[in-house]
Amino acid sequence: MRARHDGGSSSGRKVTVRDVAAAAGVSAATASRVLSGHESVNPEMARRVLKASAELGYSANVFARALRTERTDSIGMVVPSISNPYFVGAVEAVEKALASSGRSLILCNSGNSVEIEAQRTDLLVQRMVDGLVVIPVDDSRSVPALAAAAARVPVVQFDRVARGALTDFVGSDDAEGVHQCVDHLRDRGCSTFAYIGARPTTSTAEARLRAFRELVGPDSTRDEWILLGEFSGGWGREAATTLVRGEMPEAIVCGADVIAVSLMAVLSEAGVHVPDEVKVVSYDDSGLGLLTVPHLTSVHQPVDSMAREAVRLLDHRRRHPEAAIRKSIFAPDIVVRESTAVHEPASTGGWGARTAAPHPA
């Protein structure tokens, strides 16, 4: 029998379950059970049905099956930016967590836009996904779209939380991560600190900034050493260019690896040596830190464990829609690399005494 790949018969008619059953020599009911994934079918019959299905080019109507079973075995995920390696790692972790149960992931990129985020969440709900994993764009403006989606399907917020949307949440302890950064730098002898991060419009940006301010008092930092923009390489470069024009602190805490990598490039271009003249620590441990020279000390978040928990919470919410909201917070761990190593100072100017030339525009 010659295989067809367009879901049609030799006469142009769409292949049906009855056609598959006839080709396999089984009843239509048996063929339907096999194609629907039921396990209570004789293995030999199941093999024949699947073989006939492949040869005929049978294509199941996913939406019709979803109406019968009330599930599509697919989960939607919306992330702020697929250019950020941390978010890419989160997507891979969720997809891996779903694969063990035979489910698939449908990914959408919101491009850091609340309007696009709302469009994508609505689209995924219309596509009848069984649930949504969302990394929200904004702490408050993402709430309406998340609330609307949660009224129709299970929703788990991941990494960031828009607190006005009553959904389950999985994240890591941002304050603890920053605490580990500052403690580590103090153990390395640092006493003056800069912070380069994002404006506090997301829960992660707000929590990391707040923790830094609480841990590093006015005697250890300056207003001009706290630079806030966005989680991007472009902002890291802009902020670093501003920083090297003045007196440097002994240590810099970055709110994300995408910021730190660009910052370290500017420091190198300006002749500021890491870690001899300034130590740099970051957040996410996204893999970017292994591309810098020296390698970047960064806070690791257990993304694989977080992803498995997100899938578990989606499944629990599907079975128990009226259950209390659950929040799962995981502990981060700092991964120490060469950007915070203790070396002899490279110049005689002393700690914090260097005034670097501005980076050319």
Side-chain angles (χ1 to χ4, degrees), residues 153-170:
V153 298
V155 174
V156 171
Q157 295 184 69
F158 190 93
D159 183 64
R160 302 173 176 178
V161 58
R163 294 177 180 85
L166 300 180
T167 77
D168 298 315
F169 168 65
V170 176

Side-chain angles (χ1 to χ4, degrees), residues 53-129:
S53 172
E55 290 176 343
L56 290 172
Y58 171 77
S59 178
N61 187 326
V62 173
F63 291 104
R65 184 174 64 189
L67 290 172
R68 292 194 306 271
T69 64
E70 297 186 341
R71 60 182 298 158
T72 59
D73 288 330
S74 61
I75 297 295
M77 186 167 183
V78 185
V79 301
S81 172
I82 56 174
S83 64
N84 187 323
Y86 172 74
F87 296 143
V88 173
V91 171
E92 291 177 343
V94 172
E95 188 168 38
K96 180 181 177 182
L98 290 170
S100 62
S101 58
R103 287 175 286 181
S104 59
L105 182 70
I106 303 175
L107 174 64
C108 287
N109 177 31
S110 66
N112 287 302
S113 164
V114 173
E115 292 74 23
I116 295 175
E117 179 180 61
Q119 294 170 9
R120 298 297 183 263
T121 54
D122 184 61
L123 173 65
L124 290 167
V125 171
Q126 291 184 42
R127 291 292 180 91
M128 302 176 67
V129 293

Side-chain angles (χ1 to χ4, degrees), residues 8 12 16 46 49 52 81 92 118 156 167-168 187 195 208 218 239 256 263 270 272 275-276:
T16 67
V49 169
S81 172
E92 291 177 343
V156 171
T167 77
D168 298 315
D187 287 344
Y195 180 81
R208 293 170 195 177
L263 171 132
V272 179
D276 295 334

Side-chain angles (χ1 to χ4, degrees), residues 196 227 232-243 245 262-263 266:
I196 299 180
L227 299 168
S232 72
W235 167 242
R237 190 169 192 87
E238 180 182 340
T241 301
T242 299
L243 192 64
R245 288 181 176 140
S262 294
L263 171 132
V266 172

